[in-house]
Amino acid sequence: MSNLSHFDVIIIGSGAGGGTLAYHLAPSGKRILLLERGGYLPREKDNWDARAVFVDEKYRAKEVWYDKDGNPFHPGIQYYVGGNTKVYGAALLRLRPEDFGEVRHHGGISPAWPLSYDDFEPYYTKAESLYHVHGERGIDPTEGPASAPYPYPPVSNAARIQELHDDLKRLGHHPFPLPLGILLEEKDGHALHNSACVRCAAFDGFPCLVNGKADAQVLCVDPALEHPNVQLLTGAYVKRLETDASGRVVTKVLVEHDGLPEEYSADLVVVSCGAVNSAALLLRSASEKHPKGLANRSDVVGRHYMRHNNSAFMAISKNPNPTVFQKTLALNDFYFRSDDWEFPLGCIQMLGKTDGEMLKGEAPGWALWKPEFAMEYIAEHSIDFWLQSEDLPEPENRVTVNSAGEITLALHETNVEGHRRLIAKLKGMMNDLGLHDHLISRELYLGKNIPIGGTAHQAGTVRFGSDPDTSALDLNCKAHDLDNLYVVDASFFVSIGAVNPSLTIIANALRVGEHLLRRLA
């Protein structure tokens, strides 16, 4: 193997974990190779076309996974430079301080993390700065202490969403600006001429044609590549990792690059493929020294898969809702409990505004409820909500691979009663919020024919901890069983809370990045 194929660091995956880590390590001068199985997402008119994105699923991976019963499905996942951040909703919230401790749910126990909120807080602050998070402290009663204000002001509410905000406050609730990663400069609700974001409707779930979304490609990968010591290889699918005879050191990264085999090596190897694919790669890398899969002496790799209990709903406003950019508001008043239940329910957020093409793709959902409502009426009066509750890290919710490397995702619903009650809370407020008393499920946001919640918030399959018998990674996210292997994505999560995981992935990448810089020095 020539010197050209050896690097100081190889990072596999360029999303929220891998892309952020590459950015953090780039100024070190160390030779860094970033491997991405996809390419750059095309910048084209279809980026903003609801039919192309949601109905035709143009940007979704074409591969097939299998559920616990052997039924095939297409996962809600994207393989591009920047990973799933290219199409995420960019809701960047911190886990609550209580989420790092043991939390009692109706359905069981959410276990404590080996580190606390205070350990992550400085990195949350850095992550919010790096990813241009717009928000406002001191309104959400569940938020933890912060060492700095948000770096950017909250994204303003459109008039109908401001009415919703005011109605929620009148009911005694605490709606707050949804923290968003967005490259927006605005005044009086309008994007300024120098703003990358133009406050269009094609934000939540869409690729951004004008690079106005705070994604890992725009903010991390592209700036990292300005350093001559950083190299990106696209179309590079990592088939397996091989170790030396001792089994303690990864010595080869076996890659299929544009269909041809290649080998690379590095002093440090970082797996950042997303919770499902990171676990699958480690399992595919089984060997005589690691018969259960790489870093899997504890038999936890692939287990404890989490993805939130998610629901997307459309409500019909009694007054028109001409809002274009709708994803600006959230409510956490039921995050840990409600006045009539002692267990956590979850988080309510706004979704992107319903588009007529989405309605055509979901016509039975609304047409059977109110057939007298024309499609145009529904589109003009829709208000859209995203509800998410914590699911629990059960060992039998797991990722496995067969001899051909095909992925099975075994999923059993957990802790669903809290989610049902969260939906009921929203339904119970609808008349007081100027909405018709019916919620219509938005299946396109979740992904057709995917188990509850889809795979967008995947986490927990290579958990970290201080005990090598019950975790795969140490507190620095290094594999207990190997000297130079790290996993830096949502795989390390011990529990998932009820907020979007992206900011915690980013913060952890910065935290582990500091450790790696000390090791590389």
Coordinates of all heavy atoms in Angstrom, one line a residue, residues 426-495:
L426 N -53.2 17.7 21.8 CA -53.4 18.6 20.6 C -54.8 18.7 20.1 O -55.4 19.7 19.9 CB -52.4 18.2 19.5 CG -52.5 19.1 18.2 CD1 -52.1 20.6 18.5 CD2 -51.5 18.6 17.2
K427 N -55.4 17.5 20.0 CA -56.8 17.4 19.6 C -57.7 18.2 20.5 O -58.6 18.9 20.1 CB -57.3 16.0 19.5 CG -56.7 15.2 18.3 CD -57.3 13.8 18.2 CE -56.9 13.1 17.0 NZ -57.4 11.7 16.9
G428 N -57.4 18.1 21.8 CA -58.3 18.8 22.8 C -58.2 20.3 22.7 O -59.1 21.0 23.3
M429 N -57.2 20.8 22.1 CA -57.0 22.3 22.1 C -57.5 22.9 20.8 O -57.6 24.1 20.6 CB -55.5 22.7 22.2 CG -54.9 22.3 23.6 SD -53.2 23.0 23.7 CE -52.3 21.9 22.6
M430 N -57.9 22.1 19.8 CA -58.1 22.6 18.5 C -59.1 23.6 18.3 O -59.0 24.6 17.6 CB -58.3 21.4 17.5 CG -57.0 20.5 17.4 SD -57.2 19.1 16.3 CE -57.4 19.9 14.7
N431 N -60.3 23.4 19.0 CA -61.3 24.4 18.8 C -60.9 25.8 19.4 O -61.2 26.8 18.9 CB -62.6 24.0 19.6 CG -63.5 23.0 18.7 OD1 -63.6 23.2 17.5 ND2 -64.0 22.0 19.3
D432 N -60.1 25.7 20.5 CA -59.6 27.0 21.1 C -58.5 27.6 20.3 O -58.1 28.7 20.6 CB -59.1 26.7 22.5 CG -60.2 26.3 23.5 OD1 -61.3 26.9 23.4 OD2 -60.1 25.4 24.3
L433 N -58.0 26.8 19.4 CA -56.9 27.4 18.5 C -57.4 27.8 17.1 O -56.6 28.1 16.2 CB -55.8 26.3 18.3 CG -55.1 25.9 19.6 CD1 -54.1 24.7 19.3 CD2 -54.4 27.0 20.3
G434 N -58.7 27.8 17.0 CA -59.3 28.2 15.7 C -59.1 27.2 14.6 O -59.0 27.5 13.4
L435 N -59.2 25.9 15.0 CA -59.0 24.8 14.1 C -60.2 23.8 14.1 O -60.8 23.7 15.2 CB -57.7 24.0 14.5 CG -56.4 24.7 14.6 CD1 -55.3 23.9 15.2 CD2 -56.0 25.3 13.2
H436 N -60.5 23.2 13.0 CA -61.5 22.2 13.0 C -61.0 21.0 13.9 O -59.8 20.7 13.9 CB -61.8 21.7 11.6 CG -62.5 22.7 10.8 ND1 -63.9 23.0 10.9 CD2 -62.1 23.6 9.8 CE1 -64.3 23.9 10.1 NE2 -63.2 24.3 9.4
D437 N -61.9 20.3 14.5 CA -61.5 19.3 15.5 C -61.2 17.9 14.9 O -61.8 16.9 15.2 CB -62.6 19.1 16.6 CG -63.9 18.7 16.0 OD1 -64.1 18.7 14.8 OD2 -64.8 18.5 16.8
H438 N -60.3 17.9 13.9 CA -59.9 16.7 13.3 C -58.4 16.8 12.8 O -58.0 17.8 12.3 CB -60.8 16.3 12.1 CG -60.5 15.0 11.5 ND1 -61.2 13.9 12.1 CD2 -59.8 14.5 10.5 CE1 -60.8 12.8 11.4 NE2 -60.0 13.2 10.4
L439 N -57.6 15.8 13.1 CA -56.2 15.8 12.6 C -56.1 14.7 11.5 O -56.6 13.6 11.7 CB -55.3 15.4 13.8 CG -55.1 16.5 14.9 CD1 -54.2 15.9 16.0 CD2 -54.3 17.7 14.3
I440 N -55.4 15.1 10.5 CA -55.3 14.2 9.3 C -53.8 13.8 9.2 O -52.9 14.7 9.2 CB -55.7 14.9 8.0 CG1 -57.1 15.4 8.1 CG2 -55.5 14.0 6.8 CD1 -57.5 16.4 7.0
S441 N -53.6 12.5 9.2 CA -52.2 12.0 9.2 C -51.5 12.4 7.9 O -52.0 12.4 6.9 CB -52.2 10.5 9.4 OG -50.9 10.0 9.4
R442 N -50.2 12.8 8.1 CA -49.4 13.2 7.0 C -48.3 12.1 6.7 O -47.2 12.2 7.1 CB -48.7 14.6 7.3 CG -49.6 15.7 7.5 CD -50.4 16.1 6.2 NE -49.5 16.0 5.1 CZ -48.7 17.0 4.8 NH1 -48.6 18.1 5.5 NH2 -47.9 16.9 3.7
E443 N -48.7 11.1 5.9 CA -47.9 10.0 5.7 C -46.6 10.3 4.9 O -45.6 9.7 5.1 CB -48.6 8.9 5.1 CG -49.8 8.3 5.9 CD -49.4 7.8 7.2 OE1 -48.3 7.3 7.3 OE2 -50.2 7.8 8.2
L444 N -46.7 11.3 4.0 CA -45.5 11.6 3.2 C -44.3 12.1 4.0 O -43.2 11.9 3.6 CB -45.9 12.5 2.1 CG -46.8 12.0 1.0 CD1 -47.0 13.1 -0.1 CD2 -46.2 10.8 0.3
Y445 N -44.6 12.8 5.1 CA -43.5 13.3 5.9 C -42.8 12.1 6.6 O -41.6 12.2 6.9 CB -44.0 14.3 6.9 CG -43.9 15.7 6.5 CD1 -45.0 16.4 6.0 CD2 -42.6 16.4 6.5 CE1 -44.9 17.7 5.6 CE2 -42.5 17.7 6.0 CZ -43.6 18.4 5.6 OH -43.5 19.6 5.1
L446 N -43.5 11.1 7.0 CA -42.9 10.0 7.7 C -42.3 9.0 6.7 O -41.4 8.3 7.1 CB -44.0 9.2 8.5 CG -44.6 10.1 9.7 CD1 -45.7 9.3 10.3 CD2 -43.5 10.4 10.7
G447 N -42.8 8.9 5.5 CA -42.3 7.9 4.6 C -43.3 6.8 4.4 O -43.7 6.2 5.4
K448 N -43.6 6.5 3.2 CA -44.6 5.5 3.0 C -44.1 4.1 3.3 O -43.0 3.7 3.0 CB -45.1 5.5 1.5 CG -45.8 6.8 1.1 CD -46.2 6.9 -0.4 CE -44.9 7.1 -1.2 NZ -45.3 7.3 -2.6
N449 N -45.0 3.3 3.9 CA -44.7 1.9 4.2 C -43.4 1.7 5.1 O -42.7 0.7 4.9 CB -44.5 1.1 2.9 CG -45.8 1.2 2.1 OD1 -46.9 1.1 2.6 ND2 -45.6 1.4 0.8
I450 N -43.2 2.6 6.0 CA -42.1 2.5 6.9 C -42.7 2.4 8.3 O -43.6 3.1 8.6 CB -41.1 3.7 6.8 CG1 -40.4 3.7 5.5 CG2 -40.1 3.8 7.9 CD1 -39.5 4.9 5.2
P451 N -42.1 1.6 9.2 CA -42.6 1.5 10.6 C -42.7 2.8 11.2 O -42.0 3.8 10.8 CB -41.6 0.6 11.3 CG -41.0 -0.2 10.2 CD -41.0 0.7 9.0
I452 N -43.5 2.9 12.3 CA -43.8 4.2 12.9 C -42.6 5.1 13.1 O -41.5 4.6 13.6 CB -44.5 4.0 14.3 CG1 -44.9 5.3 14.9 CG2 -43.7 3.1 15.2 CD1 -45.8 5.1 16.1
G453 N -42.7 6.3 12.7 CA -41.6 7.3 12.8 C -40.5 7.2 11.8 O -39.6 8.1 11.7
G454 N -40.5 6.2 10.9 CA -39.5 6.2 9.9 C -38.1 6.0 10.4 O -37.9 5.5 11.5
T455 N -37.1 6.5 9.7 CA -35.7 6.3 10.1 C -34.9 7.6 10.2 O -33.7 7.6 10.4 CB -34.9 5.4 9.1 OG1 -35.1 5.9 7.8 CG2 -35.5 4.0 9.1
A456 N -35.6 8.7 10.2 CA -34.9 10.0 10.1 C -34.2 10.3 11.4 O -33.1 11.0 11.4 CB -35.9 11.1 9.9
H457 N -34.7 9.8 12.6 CA -34.1 10.1 13.9 C -33.4 8.9 14.5 O -33.3 8.8 15.7 CB -35.2 10.6 14.9 CG -35.7 12.0 14.5 ND1 -36.6 12.6 15.3 CD2 -35.5 12.8 13.5 CE1 -36.9 13.8 14.8 NE2 -36.3 13.9 13.6
Q458 N -32.8 8.1 13.6 CA -32.2 6.9 14.1 C -31.1 7.1 15.1 O -30.3 8.0 14.9 CB -31.7 6.1 12.9 CG -30.7 6.8 12.0 CD -30.3 6.1 10.8 OE1 -29.3 5.3 10.9 NE2 -30.9 6.3 9.7
A459 N -31.0 6.3 16.1 CA -30.0 6.5 17.2 C -29.8 5.2 18.0 O -30.7 4.3 17.9 CB -30.4 7.6 18.1
G460 N -28.7 5.1 18.7 CA -28.5 4.2 19.8 C -28.0 2.8 19.6 O -27.9 2.0 20.5
T461 N -27.5 2.5 18.4 CA -27.1 1.1 18.1 C -25.6 0.8 18.4 O -25.3 -0.4 18.3 CB -27.3 0.9 16.6 OG1 -26.5 1.9 15.9 CG2 -28.7 1.1 16.1
V462 N -24.8 1.8 18.8 CA -23.4 1.5 19.2 C -23.2 2.3 20.5 O -22.4 3.2 20.5 CB -22.4 1.8 18.1 CG1 -21.1 1.2 18.4 CG2 -22.9 1.3 16.8
R463 N -23.9 2.1 21.5 CA -24.0 3.0 22.7 C -22.7 3.1 23.4 O -21.8 2.2 23.4 CB -25.1 2.5 23.7 CG -24.9 1.1 24.1 CD -25.8 0.7 25.3 NE -27.1 1.2 25.3 CZ -28.1 1.0 26.2 NH1 -27.8 0.2 27.2 NH2 -29.3 1.4 26.1
F464 N -22.5 4.3 24.0 CA -21.3 4.5 24.8 C -21.5 4.3 26.3 O -22.7 4.3 26.7 CB -20.7 5.9 24.4 CG -21.2 7.1 25.2 CD1 -20.4 8.1 25.5 CD2 -22.6 7.2 25.5 CE1 -20.8 9.3 26.2 CE2 -23.0 8.4 26.1 CZ -22.2 9.4 26.5
G465 N -20.4 4.1 27.0 CA -20.5 3.9 28.5 C -19.2 3.6 29.1 O -18.2 3.4 28.4
S466 N -19.2 3.5 30.4 CA -17.9 3.2 31.1 C -17.7 1.8 31.3 O -16.6 1.3 31.6 CB -17.9 4.0 32.5 OG -19.1 3.6 33.2
D467 N -18.7 0.9 31.1 CA -18.6 -0.5 31.3 C -18.5 -1.2 30.0 O -19.5 -1.2 29.2 CB -19.8 -1.0 32.1 CG -19.7 -2.5 32.5 OD1 -18.8 -3.2 32.0 OD2 -20.6 -3.0 33.2
P468 N -17.4 -1.9 29.6 CA -17.3 -2.5 28.3 C -18.2 -3.8 28.2 O -18.3 -4.3 27.1 CB -15.8 -2.9 28.3 CG -15.3 -2.9 29.7 CD -16.1 -1.9 30.4
D469 N -18.8 -4.2 29.3 CA -19.7 -5.4 29.2 C -21.1 -4.9 28.8 O -21.9 -5.8 28.4 CB -19.8 -6.1 30.6 CG -18.5 -6.8 30.9 OD1 -17.8 -7.2 30.0 OD2 -18.2 -6.9 32.1
T470 N -21.4 -3.7 28.9 CA -22.7 -3.2 28.5 C -22.7 -2.1 27.5 O -23.8 -1.6 27.1 CB -23.5 -2.7 29.8 OG1 -22.7 -1.6 30.4 CG2 -23.7 -3.8 30.8
S471 N -21.6 -1.7 27.0 CA -21.5 -0.7 25.9 C -20.4 -1.1 24.9 O -19.5 -1.9 25.2 CB -21.2 0.7 26.6 OG -20.0 0.6 27.3
A472 N -20.4 -0.5 23.8 CA -19.4 -0.7 22.7 C -18.3 0.3 22.7 O -17.2 0.0 22.3 CB -20.1 -0.8 21.4
L473 N -18.7 1.5 23.2 CA -17.8 2.7 23.1 C -17.5 3.2 24.5 O -18.3 3.1 25.4 CB -18.4 3.8 22.3 CG -18.9 3.5 20.9 CD1 -19.6 4.7 20.3 CD2 -17.8 3.0 20.0
D474 N -16.3 3.8 24.7 CA -16.0 4.5 25.9 C -16.5 5.9 25.9 O -17.2 6.3 25.0 CB -14.5 4.4 26.2 CG -13.6 5.2 25.3 OD1 -14.1 6.1 24.5 OD2 -12.4 5.1 25.3
L475 N -16.2 6.7 26.9 CA -16.8 8.0 27.0 C -16.3 9.0 25.9 O -16.9 10.0 25.7 CB -16.5 8.6 28.4 CG -17.1 7.8 29.6 CD1 -17.0 8.6 30.9 CD2 -18.6 7.3 29.3
N476 N -15.2 8.6 25.3 CA -14.7 9.4 24.1 C -15.2 8.9 22.8 O -14.7 9.3 21.7 CB -13.2 9.5 24.1 CG -12.7 10.3 25.3 OD1 -13.2 11.4 25.6 ND2 -11.6 9.8 26.0
C477 N -16.1 7.9 22.9 CA -16.7 7.3 21.7 C -15.7 6.4 20.9 O -15.8 6.2 19.7 CB -17.4 8.3 20.7 SG -18.9 9.0 21.5
K478 N -14.6 6.0 21.6 CA -13.7 5.0 21.1 C -14.2 3.6 21.4 O -14.6 3.4 22.5 CB -12.3 5.2 21.6 CG -11.2 4.3 21.0 CD -9.9 4.4 21.7 CE -9.9 3.7 23.1 NZ -10.0 2.2 23.0
A479 N -14.0 2.7 20.5 CA -14.4 1.3 20.8 C -13.6 0.8 21.9 O -12.4 0.9 22.0 CB -14.2 0.4 19.5
H480 N -14.3 0.2 22.9 CA -13.6 -0.4 24.0 C -12.5 -1.4 23.6 O -11.4 -1.5 24.1 CB -14.5 -1.2 25.0 CG -15.4 -0.3 25.8 ND1 -15.0 0.6 26.7 CD2 -16.8 -0.2 25.8 CE1 -16.0 1.2 27.2 NE2 -17.1 0.8 26.7
D481 N -12.8 -2.2 22.5 CA -12.0 -3.3 22.1 C -10.9 -3.0 21.1 O -10.2 -3.8 20.7 CB -12.9 -4.4 21.5 CG -14.0 -4.9 22.4 OD1 -13.8 -4.7 23.7 OD2 -15.0 -5.5 22.0
L482 N -10.9 -1.7 20.7 CA -9.9 -1.3 19.6 C -9.2 0.0 20.0 O -9.8 0.8 20.7 CB -10.6 -1.2 18.3 CG -11.0 -2.5 17.7 CD1 -12.5 -2.6 17.7 CD2 -10.5 -2.7 16.3
D483 N -8.0 0.1 19.6 CA -7.2 1.3 20.0 C -7.4 2.5 19.0 O -7.1 3.6 19.4 CB -5.7 0.9 20.0 CG -5.4 -0.2 21.0 OD1 -6.1 -0.2 22.0 OD2 -4.5 -1.0 20.7
N484 N -7.9 2.3 17.8 CA -8.0 3.4 16.9 C -9.3 3.6 16.2 O -9.4 4.2 15.1 CB -6.8 3.3 15.9 CG -7.0 2.1 14.9 OD1 -7.7 1.1 15.2 ND2 -6.5 2.2 13.7
L485 N -10.4 3.0 16.7 CA -11.7 3.0 16.1 C -12.7 3.8 16.9 O -12.8 3.6 18.1 CB -12.2 1.6 15.9 CG -13.6 1.5 15.3 CD1 -13.6 2.1 13.9 CD2 -14.2 0.1 15.3
Y486 N -13.3 4.8 16.3 CA -14.3 5.7 16.9 C -15.6 5.6 16.2 O -15.6 5.4 15.0 CB -13.8 7.1 17.0 CG -12.6 7.4 17.9 CD1 -11.3 7.0 17.5 CD2 -12.8 7.9 19.2 CE1 -10.2 7.2 18.4 CE2 -11.7 8.1 20.0 CZ -10.5 7.8 19.6 OH -9.4 8.0 20.5
V487 N -16.7 5.9 16.8 CA -18.0 6.0 16.2 C -18.6 7.4 16.6 O -18.8 7.7 17.8 CB -19.0 4.9 16.6 CG1 -20.3 5.1 15.9 CG2 -18.3 3.5 16.2
V488 N -18.8 8.2 15.6 CA -19.3 9.6 15.9 C -20.5 9.9 15.0 O -20.4 10.5 13.9 CB -18.1 10.6 15.6 CG1 -18.6 12.1 15.9 CG2 -16.9 10.3 16.5
D489 N -21.6 9.5 15.5 CA -23.0 9.9 15.0 C -24.0 9.6 16.1 O -23.6 9.4 17.3 CB -23.2 9.1 13.7 CG -23.1 7.6 13.8 OD1 -23.2 7.1 14.9 OD2 -22.8 7.0 12.8
A490 N -25.2 9.4 15.8 CA -26.2 9.2 16.8 C -26.2 7.7 17.4 O -26.9 7.4 18.3 CB -27.6 9.5 16.3
S491 N -25.3 6.9 16.9 CA -25.2 5.5 17.4 C -24.8 5.5 18.9 O -25.2 4.6 19.6 CB -24.1 4.8 16.6 OG -24.3 4.7 15.3
F492 N -24.1 6.5 19.4 CA -23.6 6.5 20.7 C -24.7 6.8 21.8 O -24.5 6.5 23.0 CB -22.4 7.5 20.9 CG -22.9 8.9 21.2 CD1 -22.7 9.3 22.5 CD2 -23.4 9.7 20.3 CE1 -23.1 10.6 22.9 CE2 -23.8 11.0 20.6 CZ -23.6 11.5 21.9
F493 N -25.9 7.3 21.3 CA -26.9 7.7 22.3 C -27.3 6.5 23.2 O -27.5 5.4 22.7 CB -28.2 8.1 21.5 CG -28.2 9.5 20.9 CD1 -27.1 10.0 20.3 CD2 -29.3 10.2 21.0 CE1 -27.1 11.3 19.8 CE2 -29.4 11.5 20.4 CZ -28.2 12.0 19.8
V494 N -27.5 6.8 24.4 CA -28.0 5.8 25.4 C -29.6 5.9 25.5 O -30.2 4.9 25.6 CB -27.4 6.1 26.8 CG1 -28.0 5.2 27.9 CG2 -25.9 6.0 26.8
S495 N -30.1 7.1 25.3 CA -31.5 7.3 25.2 C -31.7 8.5 24.2 O -30.7 9.1 23.8 CB -32.2 7.6 26.5 OG -31.7 8.9 27.0

